[in-house]
Structure formats: C-alpha cells, structure tokens
C-alpha cells in the first residue's frame, strides 16, 4: 500500500504497460484515473481494478488534443480532490524509415508520443503545485537512446520524451515535483504484437 491516499493518472491505460501500471498502482492503494482513447479498453481496465478491490474512473482522452488533456486533469481533481501522480504512457508506433515516413504518420506519432506527454504535463503540473507537489513518470524507450532501424518517427518521439523529462524535472524541482523517465526495451504488449 505504498500509494495509499494518492491519486494517479495513467495515460494509455487500456492495454499493455499502461494497464499493468494502472493495476499495480491500484493494488498499492492509489485511486486511479484510467485515461485512454479507447472507451471499451479503458472500461475494461477500470473493471479489473474494481474487481481487485481498487478505485478507478475512466476518462476518454486523446492525449494529442489540448482540450482532452485539460479535461482529464480537471476531471481528476473534480472527482478525487487532488492529483499526485501522472504516468505519461500513451504511445503509438509506426515502422518506416525517413524516406518512407509520410508527413501524416510523422505528425501522428509525434502528436501522441511527444506532444501528448507535453500536454498532459502542462495541464497536470498546476494541479500538482496546488497540492504541494507530485510525481511524473514518462515512458520513453530504449529507441529514444540508441535508435532502432526503420522506426524513425518513433525513435525521435521517444528521444524528445527523454529531453522533455530532463527539462521538466529542472523547471519544477522547486515545486516539489519529481519527473523521471523509464525507457523499457521490447515488451510483449498489443502494440508490439
């Protein structure tokens, strides 16, 4: 129960790493806000949390849209009265090199993976400051450190998440907000499959 009394938003919590994180946080006592663009998958995660004795709500969220990110943060505080933890996990993937990558594909990958992390942080940090601090965990990737063949947009997006993490950590340390980045390797999730 290391997270008892805490309120946590997990983006991309409908499946994979996000769902596993949401379930773990709930088992550790957090009230979890399941944020995902897929309503059915998000509702399934909430159901799993509730079956395990935890507390959760679902907020349908496209993290690449400012209005959705702002509504997610507002709904969290309206429901639970505070916001302690944000896990920026939502992400998408595309396999292509720089020549094969379309402009739309580039914009979509960076929109969800990098802009989404920026927007969710932008709207959650002020709520954390009001509560005296908080924690942000950004999910990067080994691809953001070493680069992996034929996934240029994904590699760039995850490199950006690492840089965003460093900048945000420095900018908000004085507000008692800790910001870290986890960079997993290949993980067996629906996205990878």
């Amino acid at each position: 129960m290391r997270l008892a009394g805490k309120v946590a938003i997990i983006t991309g919590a409908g499946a994979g790493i996000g769902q596993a994180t949401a379930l773990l946080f709930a088992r550790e006592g957090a009230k979890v806000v399941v944020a995902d663009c897929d309503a059915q998958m998000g509702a399934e995660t909430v159901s799993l949390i509730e079956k395990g004795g935890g507390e959760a709500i679902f907020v349908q969220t496209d993290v690449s849209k400012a209005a959705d990110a702002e509504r997610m943060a507002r709904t969290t505080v309206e429901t639970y009265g505070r916001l302690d933890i944000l896990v920026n996990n939502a992400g998408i993937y595309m396999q292509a090199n720089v020549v094969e990558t379309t402009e739309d594909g580039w914009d979509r990958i960076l929109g969800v993976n990098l802009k989404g992390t920026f927007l969710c942080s932008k709207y959650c940090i002020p709520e954390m400051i009001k509560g005296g601090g908080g924690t942000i965990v950004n999910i990067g990737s080994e691809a953001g450190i070493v680069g992996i063949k034929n996934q240029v947009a994904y590699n760039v997006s995850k490199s950006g998440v690492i840089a965003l993490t460093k900048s945000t950590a420095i900018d908000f340390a004085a507000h008692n907000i800790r910001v870290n980045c986890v960079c997993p390797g290949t993980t067996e999730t629906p996205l990878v499959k």
Side-chain angles (χ1 to χ4, degrees):
M1 299 302 284
R2 291 177 296 170
L3 300 177
K6 302 292 185 183
V7 175
I9 296 173
I10 318 291
T11 69
I17 291 172
Q19 185 181 65
T21 303
L23 295 173
L24 175 63
F25 277 37
R27 282 194 305 271
E28 289 292 338
K31 295 174 183 170
V32 178
V33 175
V34 173
D36 203 285
C37 60
D38 187 307
Q40 183 176 346
M41 293 170 69
E44 180 183 323
T45 300
V46 169
S47 177
L48 290 170
I49 289 170
E50 290 174 344
K51 284 177 186 173
E55 186 175 345
I57 62 166
F58 171 67
V59 180
Q60 191 163 15
T61 309
D62 178 344
V63 297
S64 69
K65 295 182 179 174
D68 278 20
E70 188 277 331
R71 182 175 43 78
M72 177 192 73
R74 181 173 24 88
T75 301
T76 299
V77 174
E78 287 172 354
T79 303
Y80 293 121
R82 60 183 298 119
L83 173 57
D84 303 291
I85 303 164
L86 168 65
V87 179
N88 281 309
N89 169 75
I92 59 173
Y93 174 80
M94 177 180 66
Q95 197 166 32
N97 64 36
V98 73
V99 174
E100 299 163 342
T101 300
T102 64
E103 184 176 358
D104 286 345
W106 175 271
D107 289 346
R108 183 71 182 134
I109 295 285
L110 269 74
V112 172
N113 297 2
L114 181 54
K115 182 181 176 187
T117 300
F118 153 70
L119 288 172
C120 291
S121 299
K122 176 181 178 63
Y123 291 106
C124 289
I125 286 172
E127 300 301 339
M128 291 179 177
I129 290 171
K130 289 176 193 173
T135 301
I136 299 174
V137 179
N138 295 326
I139 306 301
S141 170
E142 67 175 344
I145 300 169
V146 298
I148 296 174
K149 185 176 172 128
N150 289 325
Q151 55 183 48
V152 66
Y154 185 80
N155 295 346
V156 169
S157 72
K158 292 302 186 174
S159 290
V161 167
I162 294 167
L164 178 62
T165 300
K166 293 175 182 179
S167 296
T168 309
I170 292 167
D171 290 342
F172 293 97
H175 294 280
N176 196 32
I177 296 175
R178 187 174 64 250
V179 187
N180 287 291
C181 187
V182 177
C183 294
T186 303
T187 305
E188 188 176 349
T189 65
L191 179 73
V192 170
K193 289 178 181 179

